[in-house]
Amino acid sequence: MLALTSIWTTILLAAAVALAPMAIDMYLPALPQIGADFSAGTDQVQLTLSIYLIGFALAQLVCGPLADRFGRKPVMIGGMLLFALASVGCALASNIETLQLFRFLQALGGSAGPVLARAIVRDVYTPRDATKILALLAGMMALAPAIAPTLGGFIVAFMDWHWIFIVMAAYALIMVAVIAFGIPEPLRPEHRQPFRLCSLLRNYRRISTDRTFIGYTLTSAAIYGGLFAFLSGSAFVLIDVLGVAPEHFGLYTALTAGGYVLGNMASIRLASRFQPDQILFYGLIITVTSGATMALLAYQQVYSPWAVILPQAVFMAGTGMVLPQTMAGALANHPTMAGSASALLGFTQMTSAAGAGALVGLLHDDTPMVMATLIAGFAALGLLGYLLMVQRYPAQDFKTQNASS
């Protein structure tokens, strides 16, 4: 077993969390092909992503409290087994409705990784230290959206989209073995919470009325909306509208993932010089500026892959600075309910993401305009959440440098 504070444990957690973005990013290049195979419209194909996000959001509300009661490892292992089985179901789907059903089940299992990885970081580290670990974890996790679309594009080009889900299933089974034998249980017995409906509702009520939690969570959710507006619309915009070949799609999106990594690295480097909320503000300014640039280019009818990818790469750099701060800030006040707090944070993020995905599918007009406008709008909402809530109710533990930092 590895030590919980080991860099190898952080790498394993990143690999576990990567299962969720992989389930989104790897099949993006296949969306047009799936629509053609099932004779389904853009809105129906897009629904396979929105349904995944809805299931992901709902499952977290139960996954977090279960982990607070029974421990992190059993719930994470069970979730990944469900993910593997549902992935096989997706591969065998014979129509769009069956694919949507198994995508929902896939999301129920896939939610365990991100929720419990955040909770484990909060179990082990102080809130201020957690911002650095979450940034490091997110930076490593960004390899998934960099690699997954490229791999998915090659599978679509040279094999068949069904094999994308077989690869997902195999990855999940490998992670089950790694988690089972690689890391110890981080939740101490004295911190376990009873899993009773009254206790569950009481915990969620306590967390959801914490204004600090609300501020960081809403800010994070808005940026997630912008991120998933891109993920939902990028395949249709780049492949169908701008003529990018499916096997090249991943190379373009890898640049946006590179922006995310740079943002995470900047977040880690700036942590010794600036308060977390200052880094959060700088990141939000970057997302607003880049989102507005993409929207302006779209309204000026500058229709080129680079008019989408370059602003999005900068947006992702800002996102890489924003998300570690908002995640750590949202969990700061709830050390004994980290699983439930992480679940409620994730539920709000994924609800925003699902809404963004649904809007992209419904409003798509065969131009980049809808996607770009939504990205800019969600970025502006994130900055508004910071100004109205985070500035007024900051996480207290962010204000002092911890001795262990």
Side-chain angles (χ1 to χ4, degrees), residues 25-155:
D25 295 307
M26 185 177 285
Y27 96 124
L28 291 180
L31 292 181
Q33 189 184 91
I34 291 172
D37 283 359
F38 292 147
S39 300
T42 299
D43 56 340
Q44 289 180 293
V45 178
Q46 171 59 44
L47 197 57
T48 64
L49 178 58
S50 294
I51 283 177
Y52 179 91
L53 296 175
I54 292 169
F56 199 96
L58 293 173
Q60 292 182 82
L61 294 178
V62 177
C63 177
L66 280 174
D68 283 341
R69 171 63 182 86
F70 298 106
R72 313 308 188 199
K73 284 182 59 175
V75 178
M76 189 178 285
I77 290 170
M80 290 190 174
L81 286 173
L82 175 58
F83 181 96
L85 291 172
S87 297
V88 174
C90 290
L92 299 177
S94 58
N95 55 61
I96 193 68
E97 291 79 14
T98 303
L99 180 61
Q100 290 167 354
L101 171 62
F102 279 108
R103 284 288 285 172
F104 182 79
L105 295 176
Q106 193 183 39
L108 298 185
S111 67
V115 172
L116 301 186
R118 289 192 298 261
I120 289 171
V121 171
R122 185 62 187 92
D123 291 336
V124 178
Y125 297 95
T126 64
R128 179 138 188 171
D129 288 339
T131 63
K132 301 174 187 177
I133 301 301
L134 287 169
L136 182 61
L137 188 151
M140 291 185 291
M141 189 187 73
L143 291 173
I147 296 172
T150 304
L151 178 58
F154 278 106
I155 292 174

Side-chain angles (χ1 to χ4, degrees), residues 309-333:
I309 291 301
L310 292 181
Q312 184 63 22
V314 179
F315 178 92
M316 293 299 289
T319 300
M321 296 172 66
V322 167
L323 294 185
Q325 321 308 321
T326 54
M327 287 189 290
L331 304 184
N333 292 351

Side-chain angles (χ1 to χ4, degrees), residues 21 24-25 28 49 53 141 145 220-234 256-257 260 287 312 315-317 319-320 323 349-350 352-353 356-357 360 371 374-376 378-379:
I24 296 168
D25 295 307
L28 291 180
L49 178 58
L53 296 175
M141 189 187 73
S220 180
I223 298 304
Y224 252 76
L227 168 60
F228 276 86
F230 174 76
L231 292 177
S232 301
S234 58
T256 67
Y260 189 66
T287 62
Q312 184 63 22
F315 178 92
M316 293 299 289
T319 300
L323 294 185
Q349 289 172 334
M350 288 301 109
S352 174
V360 169
M371 182 183 75
L374 287 171
I375 291 170
F378 277 109

Side-chain angles (χ1 to χ4, degrees), residues 283-373:
L284 288 167
I285 292 297
I286 291 172
T287 62
V288 170
T289 303
S290 55
T293 300
M294 189 194 299
L296 180 62
L297 290 171
Y299 278 98
Q300 293 297 317
Q301 298 185 354
V302 181
Y303 294 159
S304 161
W306 297 110
V308 173
I309 291 301
L310 292 181
Q312 184 63 22
V314 179
F315 178 92
M316 293 299 289
T319 300
M321 296 172 66
V322 167
L323 294 185
Q325 321 308 321
T326 54
M327 287 189 290
L331 304 184
N333 292 351
H334 307 284
T336 62
M337 294 183 290
S340 297
S342 178
L344 195 55
L345 167 66
F347 171 80
T348 309
Q349 289 172 334
M350 288 301 109
T351 300
S352 174
L359 285 173
V360 169
L362 288 171
L363 302 178
H364 179 60
D365 61 352
D366 293 323
T367 76
M369 194 174 298
V370 169
M371 182 183 75
T373 302

